[in-house]
């Protein structure tokens, strides 16, 4: 008998793991997994299907932690434009998972209207402070989907740091003008940080400044116009000088410093965080290697399978772990832009897109569950 069967699992040939990221703007990770699960079971009711929500450190990281058994701890904090929002972090013992997008992300902008100059990450700092207040000392901060380009100034403010202007007066939330800060006082940071380990989980390696920096690459996503970008670039450069002076370090060129509008820079320089691949952190969080053991087939995916998928996105991470475990891998997606060679390089044997079975893009966005359930049936017939 296979060891997994003895442990209460179905035999090897009857297990499938569905570990997909969200379909952004359409369906959550666990929603994708459940839809595929229903499709698989409608054809093969004898199969055990294990749904494992995954993410790359951005939106969905908190949900993945909760699905892995972490407790959701409610918090009220400042939203992306300062208004109070009901948010949370996930906790297990002294470990905590904080998702920036869950508090100060683009999806939380009032009315969905961009606020590129005023948006702040202060609320994410407040959630980190709440986790520290509760005794958490091993904290993972997942970034991605940020509404702001504040260089992490707001986050440090939420953790108790002092932002001081040229006139010696405190600077309120600077938004995308962190150059208004002439000095940074870290003596008032939350005392729990001195004994905490902080991991920055992100899926990008952008520096803070330059053509691949926070303003140039991500500013337009947050509503900055082309004429705004040089202004914000100069503001971030001035902010970097202030942070460097306060910390005696220079992290502006460190990979990941440009993540989440420069939050990566602030947590690396001022908080001494360790930067790690977001998907690898999440896969460890959900215990993916154990979940894969004994499963001959793994279904992964995300909204669009394209060249960005190959650069550290969740499906690439899942596929690498699955292939190492001896599993066959197939993928589901909304739209597929990778050719067969691209799929093979990622370790994916076949990919199934919503647009393969429904040419109406509007319906793909409106009814992804129905279409994913059908793809689950297709996969069951072809691979089980």
């Amino acid at each position: 008998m296979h060891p997994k069967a003895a442990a209460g699992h179905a035999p090897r040939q009857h297990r499938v793991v569905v570990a997909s990221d969200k379909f952004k703007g359409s369906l959550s990770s666990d929603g994708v997994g459940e839809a595929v699960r229903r499709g698989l079971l409608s054809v093969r009711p004898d199969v055990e299907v294990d749904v494992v929500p995954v993410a790359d450190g951005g939106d969905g990281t908190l949900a993945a932690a909760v699905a892995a058994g972490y407790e959701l701890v409610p918090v009220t904090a400042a939203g992306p434009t300062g208004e109070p929002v009901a948010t949370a972090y996930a906790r297990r013992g002294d470990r905590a998972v904080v998702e920036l997008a869950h508090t100060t992300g683009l999806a939380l902008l009032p009315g969905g209207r961009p606020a590129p100059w005023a948006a702040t990450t202060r609320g994410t700092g407040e959630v980190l402070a709440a986790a520290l207040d509760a005794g958490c000392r091993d904290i993972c901060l997942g970034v991605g989907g940020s509404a702001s380009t504040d260089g992490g100034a707001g986050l440090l403010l939420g953790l108790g740091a002092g932002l001081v202007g040229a006139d010696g007066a405190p600077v309120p939330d600077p938004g995308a003008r962190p150059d208004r800060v002439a000095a940074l006082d870290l003596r008032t940071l939350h005392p729990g940080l001195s004994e905490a380990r902080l991991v920055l989980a992100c899926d990008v390696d952008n520096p803070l400044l330059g053509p691949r920096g926070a303003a140039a690459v991500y500013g337009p996503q947050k509503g900055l116009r082309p004429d705004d970008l040089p202004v914000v670039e100069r503001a971030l450069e001035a902010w970097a000088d202030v942070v460097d002076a306060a910390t005696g370090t220079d992290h502006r060129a460190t990979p990941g410093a440009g993540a989440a509008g420069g939050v990566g820079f602030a947590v690396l320089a001022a908080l001494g965080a360790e930067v790690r691949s977001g998907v690898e952190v999440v896969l460890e969080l959900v215990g993916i290697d154990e979940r894969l053991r004994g499963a001959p087939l793994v279904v992964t995916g995300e909204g669009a399978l394209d060249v960005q998928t190959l650069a550290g996105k969740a499906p690439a991470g899942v596929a690498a772990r699955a292939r190492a475990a001896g599993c066959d891998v197939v993928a589901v997606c909304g739209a597929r832009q990778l050719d067969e060679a691209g799929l093979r390089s990622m370790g994916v044997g076949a990919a199934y897109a919503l647009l393969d079975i429904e040419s109406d893009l509007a319906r793909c966005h409106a009814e992804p569950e129905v279409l994913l359930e059908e793809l689950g049936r297709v996969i069951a017939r072809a691979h089980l």
Side-chain angles (χ1 to χ4, degrees), residues 310 316 319 338-348:
L310 303 177
L338 289 177
D339 59 16
E340 296 299 324
L343 292 175
R344 285 196 301 271
S345 73
M346 193 169 63
V348 173

Side-chain angles (χ1 to χ4, degrees), residues 174-188:
R177 292 302 304 269
D179 54 335
R180 293 172 179 158
V181 181
L184 175 64
D185 187 354
L186 298 174
R187 295 171 299 177
T188 52

Side-chain angles (χ1 to χ4, degrees), residues 63-311:
V66 172
Y70 280 61
E71 173 194 3
L72 199 64
V73 181
V75 178
T76 298
T81 53
E83 74 294 341
V85 297
T87 182
Y89 65 91
R91 178 179 185 179
R92 177 188 282 168
D94 71 344
R95 298 192 67 192
V97 177
V98 176
E99 180 189 309
L100 181 149
H102 204 269
T103 304
T104 54
L106 282 163
L108 295 176
L109 285 164
R113 293 183 297 274
W117 294 103
T120 175
T121 55
R122 175 165 54 91
T124 298
E126 293 171 350
V127 176
L128 288 168
L132 290 165
D133 285 343
C136 297
R137 293 297 181 265
D138 186 359
I139 300 177
C140 169
L141 171 62
V143 298
S146 169
S148 73
T149 313
D150 69 355
L155 181 143
L156 295 182
L157 188 65
L159 277 166
L163 308 183
V164 184
D167 59 359
V171 176
D173 248 337
R177 292 302 304 269
D179 54 335
R180 293 172 179 158
V181 181
L184 175 64
D185 187 354
L186 298 174
R187 295 171 299 177
T188 52
L189 276 173
H190 194 292
L193 287 165
S194 64
E195 53 189 22
R197 172 178 178 259
L198 182 62
V199 172
L200 173 70
C202 70
D203 69 342
V204 301
D205 61 0
N206 303 70
L208 178 66
L209 305 171
R212 295 187 61 249
V217 175
Y218 303 111
Q221 299 174 8
K222 307 174 199 307
L224 290 172
R225 299 170 301 181
D227 290 348
D228 299 331
L229 300 180
V231 178
V232 177
E233 177 79 2
R234 289 192 295 270
L236 290 173
E237 186 171 14
W239 166 243
D241 290 339
V242 168
V243 174
D244 291 353
T247 63
T249 64
D250 184 352
H251 281 282
R252 65 188 79 193
T254 301
V263 162
F265 169 74
V267 300
L268 289 167
L271 305 182
E274 169 193 356
V275 62
R276 293 190 59 201
S277 159
V279 64
E280 290 302 317
V281 169
V282 173
L283 293 181
E284 290 175 12
L285 193 73
V286 301
I288 193 67
D289 291 337
E290 174 61 25
R291 306 284 281 271
L292 293 173
R293 194 169 296 129
L297 181 65
V298 175
V299 183
T300 188
E302 65 177 346
L305 285 180
D306 53 28
V307 292
Q308 292 187 35
T309 306
L310 303 177

